[in-house]
């Protein structure tokens, strides 16, 4: 006799219940199939939402000037000017178009998804999600590392924290994870306070730096001498700036976040979900204002830090490494204001990590469930938080919490997303016949492709990390898709009027269905099929039946609405269903038709192909060995044998 299995330990049971429990909340919209209820929620003025995306975008001021000076030296302000020009005349018009095309927070990924079909669309999205994961994870780890650097270099904390960069970073990551494990709620109010305080203090530091430069004209002269000494002509300066520009590309982060948060923006009273003109207009205001503010801060901060900070201080181990503006705050405004700046910088960098974590948690329910490429436990946020936290710990340990070392990986993720957005708007303009826009966006796409290529060639480590994330997403996604293939996968069955009338003419129960391949729809063909079926499964001549045919839709889709049309071909009644998988569609139709009487029965023939070929055909093409697959799907969907539809097989 088989011994009874032990019940789980109460502590493990409680832990599992807590881990998988989520507070009730509206389901996240999936890709571009957002419905009006999914977009419902409390709306905010665009400038407040700008602060929410700004914790990611503006926080790069914490490390961007230092990274720029380290990469370009005296050329840093000129290279930053190139970055600003690309921002204002490349990224900004591109994402203003993304906001117009995708006002429901789907971003540029869904634009590419709509331009492709079938499995290429799915694998492109999965690959882009890998790049998104790279950008978001590195945002979390890089921001935490830079926040730790600001804490460690603070004169009041330095004696206690010096030499513990990795430990402090891991502590900040743990605090971030604990917030999400407890239950993170969107806090635009906190973002507004953080961004306002941070930009105000940054402006104070930059203004003080400009005052110091004005008081010492020789600083400007020395900088100009360094440029003329290193570069013979202005064209050489511009050329060198263009070459070094890709290393500064992490200053472009934040645009994708800007379009993702669009559902939170308050539009006009006349807005509808089909045409949210006010939301689009205010979303474009958000993007433009953020870009203009960031451009001004990038240029001014790069200028004052390059002229005022000794080059040695930007090097690894230097006091300005990863914290150039904080260095100036302590140097020229004193330790009290400098500490206030450290606190605001640490806060906004930490909150930037929270924004990135929220982005990661939104990516999974937005796309992967619709593809069947997310395990069941991914519906709960807490397991995902633990996984992303573990990945962040691993990345932090691998890079030793070094801000400079993570810059290439961060830039690779950001540039891959921006390149895909550029290509998406270019292809969309081409599809709609807008030739002028297509040429403009094609030039922008070429700039981002060049920048991404240079970044990858100069430091392939970023691409390697992105490829690891893509591989992880693909392995998890494909494994989940295979494991979930036996789910019913149908959200609804809809019968047209002819199908309803046809079923009324067959009141005999059990209802008998004969599976038939669509396409061969002549009366003689149906007659031959009838003779075969009655012979194979010993179906008596006096027993009536209906033919059931399945037309394949997009087999790469996981969930589907099955539409059933009724037809009359001579004396034969035909139900023709359309779905993404033949076995799942047959099972769904049978469960829908079982009613209150005896469960329906379906009659099929055995398939002749090899089992391996059929298995692949089921997962990829939606067909496979239909009889046993249909029966297995029914078994899992309906555990009660007395109510489960019956599958007959012969031949």
């Amino acid at each position: 006799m088989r011994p009874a299995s032990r019940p789980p330990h109460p502590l493990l049971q409680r832990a599992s219940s807590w881990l998988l429990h989520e507070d009730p909340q509206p389901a996240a919209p999936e890709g571009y199939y957002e419905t009006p209820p999914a977009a419902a929620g409390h709306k905010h003025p665009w400038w407040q939402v700008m602060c929410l995306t700004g914790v990611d975008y503006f926080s790069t001021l914490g490390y961007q000037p230092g990274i720029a000076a380290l990469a370009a030296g005296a050329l840093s302000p000129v290279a930053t000017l190139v970055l600003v020009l690309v921002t204002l005349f490349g990224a900004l018009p591109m994402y203003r178009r993304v906001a117009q095309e995708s006002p429901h927070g789907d971003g540029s990924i869904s634009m590419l998804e709509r331009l492709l079909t079938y499995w290429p669309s799915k694998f492109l999205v999965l690959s882009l999600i890998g790049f998104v994961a790279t950008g978001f994870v590195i945002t979390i780890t890089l921001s935490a590392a830079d926040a730790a650097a600001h804490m460690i270099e603070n004169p009041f904390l330095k004696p206690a924290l010096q030499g513990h960069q990795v430990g402090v970073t891991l502590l900040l990551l743990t605090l971030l994870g604990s917030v999400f494990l407890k239950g993170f709620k969107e806090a635009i109010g906190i973002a507004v306070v953080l961004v306002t305080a941070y930009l105000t203090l940054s402006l104070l530091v930059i203004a003080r730096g400009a005052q110091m430069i004005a008081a010492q004209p020789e600083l400007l002269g020395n900088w100009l001498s360094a440029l003329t000494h290193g570069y013979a002509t202005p064209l050489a300066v511009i050329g060198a700036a263009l070459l070094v520009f890709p290393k500064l590309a992490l200053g472009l982060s934040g645009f994708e976040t800007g379009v993702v948060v669009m559902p939170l923006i308050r539009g006009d009273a006349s807005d509808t979900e089909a045409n949210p003109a006010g939301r689009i207009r205010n979303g474009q205001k958000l993007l433009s204002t953020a870009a203009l503010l960031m451009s001004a801060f990038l240029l001014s901060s790069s200028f004052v830090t390059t002229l005022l900070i000794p080059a040695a201080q930007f090097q690894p181990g230097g006091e300005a490494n990863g914290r150039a503006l904080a260095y100036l705050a302590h140097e020229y405004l004193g330790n009290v204001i400098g500490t206030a700046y450290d606190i605001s910088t640490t806060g906004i960098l930490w909150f930037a990590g929270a924004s990135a974590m929220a982005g990661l948690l939104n990516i999974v329910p937005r796309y992967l469930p619709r593809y069947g490429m997310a395990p069941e436990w991914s519906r709960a946020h807490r397991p995902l938080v633990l996984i992303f936290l573990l990945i962040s710990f691993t990345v932090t340990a691998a890079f030793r919490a070094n801000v400079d070392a993570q810059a290439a990986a961060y830039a690779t993720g950001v540039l891959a997303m921006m390149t895909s957005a550029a290509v998406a708007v270019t292809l969309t303009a081409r599809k709609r016949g807008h030739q002028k826009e297509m040429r403009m966006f094609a030039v922008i796409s070429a700039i981002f492709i060049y920048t991404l290529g240079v970044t990858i060639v100069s430091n392939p480590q970023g691409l390697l990390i992105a490829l690891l994330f893509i591989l992880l997403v693909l392995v998890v996604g494909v494994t989940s898709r295979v494991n979930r293939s036996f789910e019913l996968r149908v959200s609804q069955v809809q019968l047209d009027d002819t199908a309803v009338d046809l079923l009324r003419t067959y009141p005999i129960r059990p209802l008998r269905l004969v599976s038939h391949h669509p396409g061969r729809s002549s009366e003689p063909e149906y007659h031959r099929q009838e003779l075969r079926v009655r012979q194979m499964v010993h179906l008596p001549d006096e027993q009536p039946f209906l033919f059931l045919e399945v037309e394949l839709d997009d087999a790469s889709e996981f969930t589907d609405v099955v539409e059933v049309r009724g037809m009359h071909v001579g004396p034969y009644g035909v139900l023709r269903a359309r779905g993404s998988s033949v076995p799942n569609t047959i099972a769904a139709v049978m469960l829908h038709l079982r009613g209150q009487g005896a469960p329906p029965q379906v009659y099929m023939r055995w398939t002749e192909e090899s089992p391996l070929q059929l298995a692949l055909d089921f997962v990829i093409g939606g067909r496979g060995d239909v009889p046993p697959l249909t029966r297995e799907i029914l078994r899992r969907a309906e555990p009660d044998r007395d109510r489960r539809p019956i599958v007959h097989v012969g031949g």
Side-chain angles (χ1 to χ4, degrees), residues 361-550:
L361 295 175
N362 284 331
I363 283 292
V364 171
R366 187 175 293 274
Y367 291 100
L368 298 188
R370 179 156 50 88
Y371 299 169
M373 291 184 170
E376 282 296 323
W377 50 260
S378 67
R379 299 177 188 272
H381 281 183
R382 285 175 181 140
L384 289 178
V385 170
L386 291 176
I387 290 176
F388 294 139
L389 198 59
L390 179 61
I391 294 173
S392 298
F393 284 166
T394 304
V395 172
T396 297
F399 285 107
R400 302 298 300 167
N402 188 297
V403 175
D404 299 325
Q406 298 178 70
Y410 183 37
T412 300
V414 170
L415 287 171
M417 282 306 304
M418 301 194 79
T419 302
S420 70
V423 172
V425 296
T426 303
L427 294 178
T428 301
R430 178 186 177 186
K431 184 178 180 181
R432 295 180 179 176
H434 301 162
Q435 296 298 319
K436 184 178 179 181
E437 289 186 355
M438 185 197 73
R439 287 191 290 270
M440 180 185 73
F441 289 130
V443 172
I444 296 173
S445 298
I447 292 173
F448 281 110
I449 291 171
Y450 157 76
T451 307
L452 177 61
V454 171
T455 301
I456 291 173
V457 170
S458 62
N459 194 335
Q461 190 178 44
L463 178 62
L464 178 61
I465 293 174
L467 291 176
L468 289 175
F469 276 105
I470 292 172
L471 180 63
L472 178 63
V473 171
L474 289 175
V475 168
V476 171
V478 172
T479 302
S480 174
R481 178 69 182 242
V482 172
N483 290 337
R484 298 185 62 189
S485 292
F486 292 105
E487 294 180 12
L488 196 57
R489 292 175 47 181
V490 172
S491 58
Q492 189 179 4
V493 176
Q494 298 176 346
L495 305 176
D496 71 358
D497 293 338
T498 306
V500 172
D501 292 339
L502 188 60
L503 288 166
R504 285 175 183 160
T505 64
Y506 286 82
I508 300 173
R509 294 293 183 268
L511 176 65
R512 290 180 170 86
L513 305 171
V514 171
S515 177
H516 181 253
H517 194 280
R520 301 189 294 268
S521 303
S522 65
E523 183 177 338
E525 174 59 33
Y526 285 122
H527 180 66
R528 283 192 294 271
Q529 183 70 1
E530 177 189 10
L531 294 179
R532 291 193 197 101
V533 170
R534 292 192 185 279
Q535 180 182 15
M536 286 186 304
V537 297
H538 308 291
L539 182 63
D541 293 341
E542 65 274 9
Q543 294 291 343
F545 64 83
L546 297 173
F547 282 105
L548 175 61
E549 302 176 349
V550 177

Side-chain angles (χ1 to χ4, degrees), residues 30 61 69 105 114 127 149-150 190 245 247 252 316 364 436 451 454 553 560 567 598 611 621 647:
E30 297 182 346
L61 286 171
R114 278 175 272 181
S127 299
H150 280 78
I190 296 176
F245 155 72
K247 297 182 180 180
L252 291 166
V364 171
K436 184 178 179 181
T451 307
V454 171
D553 202 353
D560 200 3
M567 300 169 53
V647 178

Side-chain angles (χ1 to χ4, degrees), residues 107-117 121 124-125 128 419-421 423-425 427-428:
S108 59
I109 292 181
S110 66
M111 292 179 64
L112 286 171
E113 183 187 27
R114 278 175 272 181
L115 291 170
L116 297 175
T117 57
S121 170
L124 174 63
V125 170
L128 291 176
T419 302
S420 70
V423 172
V425 296
L427 294 178
T428 301

Side-chain angles (χ1 to χ4, degrees), residues 115-304:
L115 291 170
L116 297 175
T117 57
Y118 204 59
W119 285 108
S121 170
K122 305 303 184 291
F123 282 108
L124 174 63
V125 170
L126 290 175
S127 299
L128 291 176
I129 288 174
F131 282 110
V132 171
T134 304
F136 280 145
V137 168
I138 300 298
T139 296
I140 293 171
T141 57
L142 187 147
S143 298
D146 197 46
H150 280 78
M151 294 174 64
I152 292 171
E153 291 299 328
N154 183 276
F156 299 116
L157 298 177
K158 192 169 186 176
L161 299 181
Q162 190 169 23
H164 300 287
Q165 174 78 16
V166 175
V168 175
T169 303
L170 292 177
L171 176 61
L172 290 174
L173 291 174
T174 302
L175 291 174
L176 177 67
S178 65
V179 170
F180 280 88
L181 289 173
K182 187 177 186 298
F184 178 77
K185 301 297 181 183
E186 189 174 57
I188 287 183
I190 296 176
V192 170
V193 172
L194 284 173
V195 168
T196 301
Y198 180 68
L199 292 184
T200 300
L201 287 169
S202 295
L203 182 61
L204 180 63
V205 174
I206 292 170
R208 178 57 175 164
Q211 185 182 24
M212 296 300 299
I213 293 172
Q216 305 174 67
E218 65 275 11
L219 293 175
L220 182 59
N222 293 338
W223 174 66
L224 292 173
S225 297
L227 282 182
T228 55
H229 179 73
Y231 306 96
T233 65
L235 285 178
V237 173
I238 295 172
L242 290 173
L243 290 174
V244 82
F245 155 72
K247 297 182 180 180
L248 280 63
L250 70 169
L252 291 166
S253 71
F255 278 100
E256 192 72 26
T257 311
V259 291
V260 168
V261 299
M262 279 189 65
L264 300 174
I265 298 174
R266 183 183 300 157
D268 297 336
S270 59
D271 278 6
T272 64
E273 287 302 317
N275 183 28
R279 184 199 299 173
I280 292 173
R281 186 179 62 255
N282 289 334
Q284 291 174 335
K285 285 182 184 178
L286 180 156
L287 294 168
S288 299
T289 304
L292 288 170
L293 278 174
M294 190 62 174
S295 296
F297 274 100
L298 281 173
L299 269 177
S300 55
S301 64
S302 176
F303 184 73
V304 299

